[in-house]
Amino acid sequence: MSRTRIERVRAAVGIAFLGLQQIEDDLTAGDVDARELAAILRELQDDLDVPGGLLPALAQLVTTAARRAEQIEPDRDGDASCPLHEAAALITDNAGQRLTWVARSLDPQGDLA
């Protein structure tokens, strides 16, 4: 029996959730110092193993949803797609930039590494 698209998305979100839970567990470790916290935040914003990092990848996912919404929304009036485009921009421009600022604040030398 083939899984439906929603089931695949649900499974993928579950996997992502487990990964995020691991990161949260690492953040709550009592021995995390400023340099390590900054490094973790940099990984979320600009992971070297995955081009662009977690937040930019999430923004890209929301942008893809926005583009699909543009194609299927009634009257093509932007009621669905515009908020999605705005959400993607907030992820990248707002959340992402704030992570960068915090990482620089915690470990200014880390940007040079």
Side-chain angles (χ1 to χ4, degrees), residues 7-110:
E7 289 171 329
R8 288 191 308 271
V9 168
R10 191 173 291 131
V13 168
I15 292 166
F17 177 77
L18 291 173
L20 292 172
Q21 184 63 52
Q22 179 60 54
I23 294 168
E24 187 174 345
D25 291 347
D26 289 336
L27 287 170
T28 60
D31 62 343
V32 174
D33 62 10
R35 175 175 265 164
E36 189 172 21
L37 178 56
I40 291 169
L41 296 174
R42 285 186 182 99
E43 287 296 313
L44 295 175
Q45 179 60 10
D46 190 26
D47 185 356
L48 298 177
D49 294 331
V50 180
L54 177 66
L55 289 180
L58 180 58
Q60 179 60 43
L61 179 72
V62 174
T63 297
T64 300
R67 289 183 184 137
R68 184 64 184 141
E70 288 170 355
Q71 296 171 353
I72 62 175
E73 62 190 343
D75 303 325
R76 297 185 184 254
D77 56 7
D79 284 347
S81 59
C82 284
L84 287 169
H85 282 297
E86 290 170 2
L90 286 172
I91 293 167
T92 302
D93 300 340
N94 200 332
Q97 188 59 46
R98 290 181 193 289
L99 286 182
T100 300
W101 292 338
V102 170
R104 285 182 182 154
S105 171
L106 292 169
D107 181 24
Q109 298 303 316

